[in-house]
Amino acid sequence: MDAVAILGLAGLLFVKEAGVPVPVPGDLLVLGAGVAAAGDPLIGAVALVAILLAGFAGGCLQFLLTRGAFRKVLVDLLVRIGLSRARLDALTEWLRGRGARGVAVSRATPGVRVGAIAASGLAALPMPVFLPGLVAGNTVFVGGHFLLGYLIGPGAIGLIAGSGSIAVAILVVVVLAVLGAIGWSMLRRRRASAAASAASTGSAAPSLDAGASPYGSWADAACPACLAIAILRPVRADAPRVRAA
C-alpha cells in the first residue's frame, strides 16, 4: 500500500463522511486497507492515522454544514438513500440529552452511525461536545475494522497469491454478499419479533432500526464485524427509538 493509495482512500472517506452518498461501503474499504497494510506496521500506522483524520475532518464538515445553510440539502440526501425522517428525528432527540457520550455510542453502532453526524447538527450540539464524541466513536469503529483487516491480511493475501488468480478474491466478495443477505434477513426477523413483542405489551415504541436504509443495512450485514456486533448487541432500554406516529 503506497502513499498514493493511502491519500486516495483518505480522500474518498473524507467525501463520504462529509455527507456525499458515495455508493461504496466505507467499512469494507477500511477492512481492505487493513488487509493491504498487513505485515508492515509503519504503513499500517500511517494508513490508520490518515483514515481517522479524514473521518474526523469530513465528519466535522458535515456537522457544520448541517447546522448551517446546507441543512435541508444534507437531510434530503439522507432521506433519499433510505434513512427515514422519523428515524433521523428520533436520533436527534436521543442525542440532544446525551452529549459527547451519545455521539460516541451512535458513531460506533452499526445501523445508527450513518445519521449520527447530521442528527448531532440538527440537535444543535456545541462543537466542543460533538468533536470528542466523534473522535471516540470513529476511533473505536474505524480502528476496529482496520485492525480486523490487518490481522486477517497475511492469511488473505497468502490465499489469493497461492491461487494464482483473482478467483479467490471474487469468491470472498460473493461470500460476503451472501452472508450479508443472510445476516440482514436474521436482523430483520429479530427486530420484527422485538417490535411485535413491544407492541403487544405496550412497553416500548418501535425500534429505531425500523426506518433503516436497505443499502445501509446490507452494507452493515456484509461486514463481518458489523454483523457480529448487530447480532450480539443486547437490546437496551435507553437505545434510540422512533416515537409512534
Side-chain angles (χ1 to χ4, degrees), residues 77-188:
L77 280 175
L78 287 172
V79 171
R80 286 181 182 179
I81 65 172
L83 184 69
S84 71
R85 185 56 196 260
R87 187 171 186 249
L88 184 60
D89 288 344
L91 182 56
T92 298
E93 188 64 28
W94 187 83
L95 286 169
R96 188 167 282 129
R98 287 170 175 80
R101 179 177 175 274
V103 176
V105 170
S106 60
R107 284 299 292 169
T109 303
V112 177
R113 67 187 314 272
V114 173
I117 295 176
S120 298
L122 293 174
L125 298 180
M127 178 62 82
V129 172
F130 168 75
L131 184 56
L134 174 70
V135 170
N138 272 25
T139 299
V140 170
F141 188 87
V142 175
H145 281 73
F146 186 89
L147 180 61
L148 176 61
Y150 188 86
L151 292 176
I152 67 174
I157 292 173
L159 184 62
I160 294 172
S163 71
S165 70
I166 63 172
V168 174
I170 295 174
L171 178 61
V172 169
V173 173
V174 172
V175 169
L176 284 176
V178 172
L179 287 176
I182 295 172
W184 183 20
S185 177
M186 290 172 58
L187 293 176
R188 284 173 64 89

Side-chain angles (χ1 to χ4, degrees), residues 54-76:
F56 300 156
C60 286
L61 177 58
Q62 183 185 161
F63 174 75
L64 292 173
L65 292 176
T66 306
R67 293 187 62 180
F70 288 87
R71 173 185 299 235
K72 186 177 186 305
V73 173
L74 289 175
V75 169
D76 287 346

